[in-house]
Amino acid sequence: MSRKLLLEHINVPGIDTFDVYRQNGGYRAVEKALKTLTPDEVVEEVKKSGLRGRGGAGFPTGMKWSFLAKPEGKPRYLVCNADESEPGTFKDRYLMTYIPHLLIEGMIVASFALGAKTSYIYVRGEMMPQIRILEKAIAEAKNAGFLGKNILGTGYDLELYVQPGGGAYICGEETALIESLEGKRGNPRIKPPFPAISGLYNCPTVVNNVESIAAVVPIINDGGEEYAKIGIGRSTGTKLISASGNINKPGVYEIELGVPVEEFLYSDEYCGGIANGKRLKAVVPGGSSVPILPANLFLKTVTGEARLMSYESLSEGGFVTGSMMGSGGFIAFDEDQCIVRNTWNFSRFYHHESCGQCSPCREGTGWMEKVLHRLEYGHGKLSDIDLLVDVSKKIEGNTICPLGDAAAWPVAAAIRHFRDEFEWHVTHPQEAMERNYGLAHYADPLPPVGEPA
Amino acid sequence: MLSITHTDEIIFSPELVTKFNEIVGRYPEGKQKSALLPILHLVQAEYGWVSVPAMDKVAAYLDIKPIEVYEVATFYTMYFLRPQGKYVLEVCRTGPCCLVGAEKIMKHIEHKLGVKEGEVTEDGMFSWRGVECLAACGFAPVLQIGPEYTFYENLTEAKVDELIDNLKLTTANNTGALIKDASTGSA
């Protein structure tokens, strides 16, 4: 059994209430941080833990905190990014639904470390049930003296508010999120200045993902060094993986970073193998934005080593033969799934969610969607495939925020690994509408269920 | 896409204004514009959609220009700019949901309700639309119904039938309770 830090008490009845959470060791991190540590010491523990941002970029959280400017006379803000909308990712919803006090506790400790007196949790608007859950949890914590004025008699004041979004994927980008929190359209800002210097209301601001903030709790309880012992290499600690697609047991799993992908996919402790006795065709390991990998390249790197669930191992081989950890949105595709159709679906998503600020993204995502649509529906030309590559290259790196890259990568990767399937759609348009292209050479190297290994 | 449908003069109830005031209190002095998104959600929950007169009133309340409200209401997908059915079924249509049959569910809803995406049923009860990822991929296919945004997960055609029939029954009996069995997402 893998060690659980975030979800240890997830199955305790009533863990969403303050009392039960407290009885199970909750809010110890607040007591420890506020009573025995200075803000800088909290930042130091998080640095030592090696915790990397769990929202997708994987930037070290402690380092991000240490960049926060501290000018005299200006308030500083902590904003939690709970605008979870990366296709394939649903860990934050899970965490906020079932163990909301873990996030509240992390917010108090992190706000203390950063010297924030007012902090916001920006939750995507569709998660109204989770907003109500968090507001109830905040009221309970306040009632028990863990929020508000003079917390636990330490003289530290903190107000915590929940802010609903309006249904825009782009607001997961931190500067778009800040714009949205200021009551504007979610158009990402040009950086620099970075939020650490000028963020919310032009004040120094840190934006962290829900899971990153929750992870601060075990880091403070056990110490950064203890946390860093879990995991492998620079991938320290545990990570929540949202597993979806054609697997037997979809859901949220907490793993120690470094678990072999084969174990994660096939063992009963995690995904439990491919559903309906089918075989694995491809995997998107970190949310829709990261490159898709065919089964053979996903299970083993190009040098034949077993791939692990860690930041380094998943990106082994770069974008040529590797992918990324991203937000941990693990999507498995069985042999019946059409890669062209899925790529079109993802392209439609990015076209829909592009904020429209930068031309390469606004126009390019629309072109990619149109071209992929005609390939999928049997009107494509062979030249369309190179056209897609060309458009994706012209979006990548040419936009203010990473949404452009996120839209370009899945298309480029699908063509890189599944070009024959795209070509087959052009050469066999009628057949492509009726049946899926075979597993061919990118098949799962493991034998089908029921056959001896 | 702003609808210019005529609606009567909007007057916010004192209860609603009390809620507005509470929200404005969450931000520093002079930053009341931050309350715009949450207030538009409240307006939509009250009236079913956000009309131009309602947006103008919100602008006046927040002491900002009407265009600042319009540009936000048209940017975010959750705000309805024209009247909808009493229940809007929003089905996730993104990749992971499609891997396990979201497209079939959408076709079934279209057939069951007899209206196309974005249209309202004759009795004004239902409309439906496909929406992008709802962050519930592990419980796919999923749909949500505002203004409470209750989630219905692991959908099958039979479950959709049951849900729609229950909603009709609930309205007929005016019991107010939408949810028969609590779904995973709403705990």
Side-chain angles (χ1 to χ4, degrees):
Chain A
M1 258 322 242
S2 182
R3 203 168 145 193
K4 305 268 185 287
L5 298 178
L6 305 179
L7 305 184
E8 191 184 350
H9 302 297
I10 197 87
N11 291 321
V12 177
I15 195 70
D16 58 326
T17 64
F18 178 85
D19 291 339
V20 176
Y21 181 74
R22 183 89 172 118
Q23 282 155 20
N24 284 277
Y27 289 96
R28 272 187 302 143
V30 174
E31 287 175 319
K32 184 173 175 185
L34 269 61
K35 290 183 175 169
T36 68
L37 300 173
T38 66
D40 287 346
E41 283 168 344
V42 176
V43 176
E44 206 44 48
E45 287 302 323
V46 175
K47 268 189 177 169
K48 270 191 233 163
S49 75
L51 173 67
R52 293 167 70 173
R54 301 298 195 220
F59 190 80
T61 306
M63 207 184 291
K64 193 173 191 179
W65 287 9
S66 66
F67 293 155
L68 186 71
K70 293 175 178 163
E72 281 294 312
K74 256 195 179 183
R76 303 190 281 276
Y77 293 102
L78 170 66
V79 182
C80 173
N81 184 346
D83 189 59
E84 180 173 57
S85 17
E86 171 88 3
T89 313
F90 48 98
K91 65 192 174 65
D92 298 341
R93 168 198 291 278
Y94 185 81
L95 205 132
M96 292 188 287
T97 306
Y98 294 109
I99 189 158
H101 282 283
L102 185 66
L103 175 59
I104 308 298
E105 181 174 8
M107 283 298 286
I108 300 169
V109 175
S111 300
F112 171 73
L114 300 168
K117 306 273 184 200
T118 309
S119 295
Y120 298 95
I121 305 174
Y122 181 101
V123 184
R124 67 178 292 184
E126 290 92 339
M127 294 192 190
M128 288 293 176
Q130 284 67 31
I131 290 174
R132 291 190 289 270
I133 291 167
L134 287 174
E135 283 179 339
K136 178 173 160 269
I138 288 172
E140 287 175 340
K142 201 167 184 176
N143 206 23
F146 282 92
L147 276 171
K149 294 248 176 271
N150 193 17
I151 297 170
L152 303 177
T154 59
Y156 176 60
D157 305 336
L158 175 66
E159 289 297 337
L160 187 54
Y161 299 108
V162 183
Q163 174 85 357
Y169 170 71
I170 190 63
C171 292
E173 196 278 340
E174 59 180 10
T175 58
L177 187 150
I178 289 170
E179 286 282 301
S180 180
L181 182 47
E182 291 181 359
K184 301 174 197 156
R185 295 164 72 95
N187 288 350
R189 295 175 181 173
I190 293 172
K191 295 184 266 192
F194 286 89
I197 311 295
S198 177
L200 182 62
Y201 312 129
N202 296 322
C203 296
T205 304
V206 166
V207 182
N208 282 145
N209 174 261
V210 170
E211 189 189 344
S212 311
I213 291 189
V216 170
V217 174
I219 288 170
I220 295 304
N221 280 336
D222 307 337
E225 275 170 23
E226 276 302 307
Y227 187 88
K229 283 180 192 163
I230 306 167
I232 181 165
R234 287 179 55 236
S235 299
T236 61
T238 64
K239 170 96 189 77
L240 298 181
I241 304 290
S242 322
S244 67
N246 309 116
I247 48 175
N248 279 318
K249 292 166 59 195
V252 176
Y253 297 100
E254 181 169 11
I255 60 159
E256 288 183 28
L257 285 165
V259 172
V261 295
E262 195 175 320
E263 183 185 335
F264 182 72
L265 189 56
Y266 291 101
S267 87
D268 279 336
E269 191 183 338
Y270 304 113
C271 302
I274 309 304
N276 306 318
K278 298 260 165 68
R279 298 177 73 191
L280 179 69
K281 181 174 186 179
V283 169
V284 173
S288 64
S289 306
V290 310
I292 188 170
L293 284 179
N296 51 2
L297 276 179
F298 173 67
L299 293 166
K300 285 201 164 71
T301 65
V302 78
T303 54
E305 281 169 53
R307 218 182 266 280
L308 311 176
M309 296 291 286
S310 74
Y311 289 91
E312 289 75 21
S313 182
L314 285 175
S315 54
E316 177 85 39
F319 276 8
V320 181
T321 59
S323 184
M324 275 171 81
M325 180 63 141
S327 59
F330 185 99
I331 313 168
F333 299 73
D334 72 21
E335 57 194 276
D336 291 343
Q337 302 305 332
C338 172
I339 299 299
V340 177
R341 185 165 190 82
N342 183 72
T343 310
W344 163 61
N345 186 301
F346 281 169
S347 272
R348 181 178 65 182
F349 173 82
Y350 290 106
H351 179 214
H352 183 264
E353 300 297 338
S354 173
C355 80
Q357 207 179 186
C358 315
S359 325
C361 175
R362 182 186 62 237
E363 304 300 326
T365 52
W367 292 344
M368 290 200 302
E369 188 204 329
K370 269 188 206 150
V371 174
L372 281 160
H373 184 270
R374 76 178 180 222
L375 279 168
E376 167 63 12
Y377 284 92
H379 307 292
K381 295 176 280 195
L382 277 175
S383 61
D384 283 345
I385 302 169
D386 286 327
L387 176 66
L388 282 170
V389 175
D390 186 49
V391 174
S392 77
K393 275 189 187 148
K394 284 172 177 151
I395 301 174
E396 187 183 349
N398 292 323
T399 53
I400 290 175
C401 87
L403 190 140
D405 303 340
W409 292 343
V411 175
I415 294 173
R416 189 180 306 125
H417 299 300
F418 300 92
R419 183 178 270 267
D420 49 351
E421 187 161 336
F422 283 82
E423 287 169 355
W424 184 74
H425 271 69
V426 177
T427 51
H428 301 75
Q430 201 52 45
E431 219 181 331
M433 303 281 281
E434 287 153 14
R435 75 169 182 92
N436 180 31
Y437 185 72
L439 270 169
H441 54 272
Y442 36 74
D444 173 356
L446 296 176
V449 178
E451 280 180 30
Chain B
M1 293 237 296
L2 269 186
S3 168
I4 48 164
T5 312
H6 175 77
T7 44
D8 292 328
E9 173 77 5
I10 295 262
I11 296 165
F12 295 139
S13 68
E15 293 79 29
L16 204 53
V17 174
T18 309
K19 284 187 194 164
F20 291 178
N21 292 340
E22 187 274 316
I23 291 171
V24 168
R26 299 172 184 177
Y27 316 103
E29 196 70 33
K31 304 295 181 191
Q32 76 281 4
K33 189 178 169 181
S34 281
L36 182 51
L37 272 75
I39 283 181
L40 286 177
H41 282 304
L42 288 176
V43 169
Q44 179 156 302
E46 180 86 11
Y47 298 96
W49 64 298
V50 282
S51 62
V52 171
M55 286 193 268
D56 290 346
K57 278 279 177 188
V58 170
Y61 172 80
L62 288 175
D63 195 21
I64 56 180
K65 294 188 192 77
I67 184 71
E68 293 177 81
V69 184
Y70 306 159
E71 65 174 10
V72 161
T74 52
F75 182 85
Y76 296 96
T77 50
M78 285 180 75
Y79 304 118
F80 298 127
L81 302 172
R82 47 177 55 87
Q84 301 290 317
K86 181 169 162 44
Y87 302 112
V88 187
L89 278 54
E90 297 183 305
V91 191
C92 177
R93 63 172 193 179
T94 314
C97 274
C98 286
L99 290 182
V100 289
E103 285 156 330
K104 218 170 72 184
I105 295 292
M106 287 168 62
K107 274 208 187 91
H108 183 71
I109 291 176
E110 180 170 4
H111 180 75
K112 170 105 182 157
L113 295 179
V115 289
K116 288 207 162 54
E117 185 170 0
E119 293 174 355
V120 185
T121 54
E122 242 172 51
D123 57 4
M125 279 274 290
F126 295 99
S127 45
W128 72 277
R129 64 172 181 167
V131 292
E132 295 298 349
C133 190
L134 292 175
C137 322
F139 326 107
V142 294
L143 69 79
Q144 64 179 12
I145 302 177
E148 301 291 322
Y149 291 93
T150 315
F151 255 77
Y152 298 89
E153 300 165 345
N154 301 312
L155 293 174
T156 57
E157 288 162 339
K159 274 192 189 177
V160 169
D161 286 345
E162 196 190 336
L163 169 65
I164 292 175
D165 294 341
N166 276 341
L167 289 173
K168 284 182 182 162
L169 211 64
T170 307
T171 309
N173 299 339
N174 199 22
T175 51
L178 271 187
I179 316 148
K180 208 178 136 204
D181 54 336
S183 66
T184 323
S186 53

